[in-house]
Amino acid sequence: MSLSEFELIQQFFANSGTPRADVRLGVGDDCAILAVPTGKELVVSIDTLVEGVHFFKGTDPALLGHKALAVNLSDLAAMGAKPAWVTLALTLPSVDKDWLTAFCRGFSQLATAHGVQLIGGDTTKGPLNISIQAHGFVEAGAALRRDGAQLGDLIYVTGTLGDAGLALQGAGSMDIPVVAQSRLDCPTPRLTEGQALVGLANAAIDISDGLLSDLGHICDASGVGATLYIDDLPCSQPVRDYIKKNDDWSLPLSAGDDYELCITVPPEKQVEVRQLAMSFECGLTQIGRIEAASGIRCLLANGRQLQPCFSGYEHFSTES
Ligand code: ADP
Ligand code: MG
């Protein structure tokens, strides 16, 4: 490792996030040494953001630092886990101190907000690529999973759907609603909501690829199907306006990048969940029901069934 690499790591990555007592050894050695609390299970996830695929060239580095961490914390939220540690593998085309300073600010702010410590990583030269591995804890056996949905479960989502998709669709234009742009650039991982739903939800997933696609994963993993009541989908005013103008439900149904949680709840827990949801700043909306018949049916309030001809984002969908 050259001196400049050492200095780079010391300056930008040695003290990022919240210092934690369970980190016996953090950045600096060949490995980090970590103490997993007794009775807890370690929940681990990794996500990569590639320039030109997940974000546009020239994206504000502070927003990128936030988003790269947020999408990983969102996976922990979907499991009901409390985040603790992250590693960061960063591939950079060059050492741009201003870029790194801003990136680390965005990253560190979110890490600190959730009591997370950066405990190691790797720094290499190449096309801009950000890979983050997040580690969190759940009580043993208590994690929310995709394969737990049961017949008759009610389906809920946090927040609103389609905002990030609206911003993505209008990329480059000047009239993107601020609310939509900030949802795309600066998603909020629903960590408190996910943790609060442990013991109440039968299944959960975070919506990164679109509701139909991600709820589809719950259905496939659980061996069930679902009906969605489309008019009940929670949408911001700009997304509502878009749907009305274009008679097109694709934003809330299949646009990704919102990072809301989709959960299924047994009917006997409905009252408790509604009570809990009053403390959710982002809200929680019932949007459908788990059924035996496979597939997802989209029902409009007038009883008509929508035939969505769109699916979620697929990286390799155009390859043969
Ligand atoms: P090695 O060659 O043994 O893999 P490195 O030179 O890659 O070690 O890294 C030295 C130390 O700096 C390690 O503890 C590593 O985890 C940490 N590190 C390197 N890059 C990053 C980064 N981007 N973020 C956080 N820690 C990093
Ligand atoms: Mg290394």
Side-chain angles (χ1 to χ4, degrees):
M1 186 177 79
S2 75
L3 188 64
S4 65
E5 244 185 84
F6 177 81
E7 283 172 342
L8 185 87
I9 292 165
Q10 278 306 308
Q11 186 174 342
F12 293 104
F13 306 118
N15 299 297
S16 186
T18 304
R20 293 176 58 99
D22 53 15
V23 178
R24 303 288 186 254
L25 191 60
V27 169
D29 210 315
D30 289 312
C31 295
I33 305 176
L34 308 160
V36 180
T38 316
K40 299 275 169 74
E41 284 171 345
L42 184 61
V43 180
V44 179
S45 165
I46 188 164
D47 256 315
T48 299
L49 299 190
V50 179
E51 185 178 71
V53 178
H54 301 95
F55 60 91
F56 297 112
K57 197 175 166 66
T59 296
D60 178 339
L63 294 174
L64 212 47
H66 172 102
K67 183 161 179 174
L69 180 56
V71 302
N72 278 277
L73 296 184
S74 175
D75 282 325
L76 293 184
M79 306 299 287
K82 193 169 170 44
W85 313 311
V86 287
T87 54
L88 167 65
L90 201 51
T91 304
L92 302 167
S94 63
V95 176
D96 175 339
K97 286 198 170 178
D98 291 341
W99 190 95
L100 274 164
T101 302
F103 177 85
C104 289
R105 188 174 62 242
F107 178 94
S108 199
Q109 264 172 11
L110 185 63
T112 303
H114 292 288
V116 169
Q117 183 175 344
L118 178 62
I119 48 104
D122 201 17
T123 309
T124 50
K125 186 172 177 176
L128 183 56
N129 190 308
I130 305 152
S131 209
I132 292 179
Q133 182 159 27
H135 310 72
F137 308 130
V138 288
E139 294 298 329
L144 303 175
R145 300 165 43 144
R146 297 178 180 191
D147 61 3
Q150 302 287 328
L151 286 190
D153 276 6
L154 307 168
I155 304 168
Y156 291 83
V157 283
T158 59
T160 55
L161 300 176
D163 299 298
L166 185 64
L168 207 51
Q169 201 169 61
S173 88
M174 296 303 286
D175 53 356
I176 300 170
V178 176
V179 53
Q181 190 65 47
S182 90
R183 291 292 306 277
L184 177 65
D185 290 340
C186 203
T188 305
R190 302 301 187 194
L191 283 158
T192 45
E193 292 80 7
Q195 287 161 41
L197 286 159
V198 169
L200 293 172
N202 275 340
I205 194 166
D206 68 322
I207 304 174
S208 52
D209 297 331
L211 175 65
L212 288 180
S213 168
D214 289 317
L215 175 60
H217 294 319
I218 286 186
C219 290
D220 291 346
S222 304
V224 294
T227 288
L228 291 177
Y229 307 112
I230 297 308
D231 299 87
D232 294 342
L233 294 178
C235 298
S236 66
Q237 195 56 50
V239 171
R240 291 205 170 285
D241 293 344
Y242 173 90
I243 293 167
K244 202 164 174 202
K245 187 169 164 207
N246 300 283
D247 190 25
D248 172 12
W249 289 89
S250 63
L251 288 179
L253 284 175
S254 66
D257 269 311
D258 283 320
Y259 298 99
E260 296 296 351
L261 299 182
C262 176
I263 59 161
T264 83
V265 170
E268 63 272 19
K269 301 267 175 70
Q270 184 179 14
V271 173
E272 211 179 326
V273 165
R274 283 215 175 127
Q275 194 81 30
L276 173 72
M278 288 199 254
S279 68
F280 291 0
E281 216 178 293
C282 60
L284 185 73
T285 309
Q286 190 181 322
I287 58 165
R289 192 177 284 273
I290 295 293
E291 296 168 345
S294 65
I296 301 176
R297 290 152 292 283
C298 296
L299 274 192
L300 289 157
N302 62 13
R304 196 162 63 87
Q305 192 166 326
L306 194 72
Q307 294 296 345
C309 53
F310 29 79
S311 58
Y313 186 75
E314 287 258 5
H315 279 275
F316 297 103
S317 61
T318 53
E319 291 188 2
S320 56

